[in-house]
Amino acid sequence: MHTARFTLDPAFTVGEVDPRLFGSFVEHLGRCVYTGIFEPGHPAADEDGIRQDVLDLVRELGVTAIRYPGGNFVSGYKWEDSVGPVEDRPRRLDLAWRSTETNRFGLSEYIRFLRKVGPQAEPMMALNLGTRGVAEALELQEYANHPSGTALAELRAAHGDKEPFGIKLWCLGNEMDGPWQTGHKTATEYGRLAAETARAMRMIDPNVELVACGSSSQSMPTFAEWEATVLAETYDLVDYISLHAYYQPENGDIDSFLASAVDMESFIENVVATPTTSARS
């Protein structure tokens, strides 16, 4: 039998652990939404169609920030399809996952789900910068966060959500370096769009937290050059840059899977080292 020893010494603190480290995401993919967290008519579903057994598991996991609505799904997302009376919401083709989106679960349902999870569950909203742009991002921000007195704020109230959603954390698109992404862009194209979106959003709320798209993986042919170009446009306007990496056991090799944090650490260090021409760099 193998044994291991672990020593914890509070005198050797490296830094605080950000609660967002334990975040997750909800995307309209597979059973994540429909027959996952949302399944009206299921024995465990509440009056809003949210499954209580899934809620219990999410609470047990201690999930914090939860990103929505994706993922690749967001690059074809029309937020206005996902609000208002469910019976009036249109069915749309979802090009990302080659399915039909019913929009039965939308923005209001997502916020309702977060509130049921608990106060630690923070919204992290992704914006469609694939097939849409600055105007649509501002409309969504106004609908979600403006208290009252404007057309979109009053529309939210008319839809049954009088109180604003209070979304602070926003992703400026998703994996825009990937040719699989609807509306895929070059680094220069995306950097300019992300910068203008960020600048406009801060006109509404200077305190929003914004995430620019980094590379989808270290193996992308544009890795590092993508970060340098995007940060040159957005460095003074965003708070974070995303790093996407996916790990799973290959051929039963659990040891390598458990050591995948080494690869993630390398990814982080390489992005941190990326040169940028920003005045603040």
Side-chain angles (χ1 to χ4, degrees), residues 114-128:
L114 292 181
R115 291 170 178 169
K116 290 174 186 284
V117 172
Q120 79 281 2
E122 174 189 8
M124 182 181 190
M125 193 74 195
L127 295 166
N128 179 358

Side-chain angles (χ1 to χ4, degrees), residues 35 44 96 99 167 187 201 203 217-218 258 260:
T35 72
S99 62
I167 302 172
M201 292 182 73
M203 291 178 182
S217 76
Q218 290 195 86
L258 294 176
S260 59

Side-chain angles (χ1 to χ4, degrees), residues 178-191:
W180 59 84
Q181 203 71 215
T182 309
H184 160 65
K185 293 172 173 56
T186 66
T188 300
E189 290 169 338
Y190 169 72

Side-chain angles (χ1 to χ4, degrees), residues 50-265:
I50 304 296
R51 285 181 50 167
Q52 294 299 298
D53 55 343
V54 176
L55 270 178
D56 290 340
L57 292 171
V58 173
R59 294 187 188 113
E60 182 181 341
L61 286 170
V63 174
T64 54
I66 300 178
R67 185 177 61 156
Y68 180 81
N72 297 345
F73 177 83
V74 75
S75 289
Y77 177 61
K78 293 184 176 182
W79 70 266
E80 58 271 35
D81 288 349
S82 75
V83 299
V86 174
E87 61 273 15
D88 294 338
R89 297 179 189 176
R91 297 170 64 92
R92 302 284 189 190
L93 290 177
D94 170 25
L95 302 184
W97 304 117
R98 300 182 182 183
S99 62
T100 300
E101 174 53 49
T102 66
N103 287 299
R104 291 167 61 215
F105 184 96
L107 181 58
S108 294
E109 289 78 15
Y110 160 65
I111 295 298
R112 200 169 298 136
F113 167 69
L114 292 181
R115 291 170 178 169
K116 290 174 186 284
V117 172
Q120 79 281 2
E122 174 189 8
M124 182 181 190
M125 193 74 195
L127 295 166
N128 179 358
L129 294 190
T131 57
R132 311 190 92 181
V134 179
E136 292 84 1
L138 294 178
E139 289 166 358
L140 174 53
Q141 184 185 16
E142 180 184 331
Y143 179 93
N145 286 356
H146 197 70
S148 62
T150 68
L152 289 173
E154 295 302 325
L155 181 61
R156 183 195 66 243
H159 289 160
D161 293 299
K162 182 177 180 181
E163 297 301 318
F165 298 149
I167 302 172
K168 283 291 184 182
L169 188 57
W170 300 79
C171 296
L172 301 171
N174 173 74
E175 293 186 353
M176 297 307 301
D177 62 327
W180 59 84
Q181 203 71 215
T182 309
H184 160 65
K185 293 172 173 56
T186 66
T188 300
E189 290 169 338
Y190 169 72
R192 289 284 298 131
L193 177 56
E196 292 307 320
T197 304
R199 187 175 288 108
M201 292 182 73
R202 292 194 185 281
M203 291 178 182
I204 293 178
D205 180 4
N207 297 315
V208 291
E209 295 182 69
L210 303 175
V211 185
C213 286
S215 293
S216 300
S217 76
Q218 290 195 86
S219 63
M220 294 295 292
T222 55
F223 173 57
E225 180 184 355
W226 174 276
E227 275 76 8
T229 302
V230 169
L231 287 173
E233 295 285 354
T234 64
Y235 192 93
D236 296 304
L237 297 164
V238 302
D239 302 279
Y240 310 101
I241 186 164
S242 66
L243 295 76
H244 284 200
Y246 304 89
Y247 302 102
Q248 60 186 5
E250 299 289 346
N251 301 317
D253 186 357
I254 301 300
D255 291 342
S256 294
F257 173 64
L258 294 176
S260 59
V262 176
D263 181 76
M264 189 71 233
E265 184 175 5

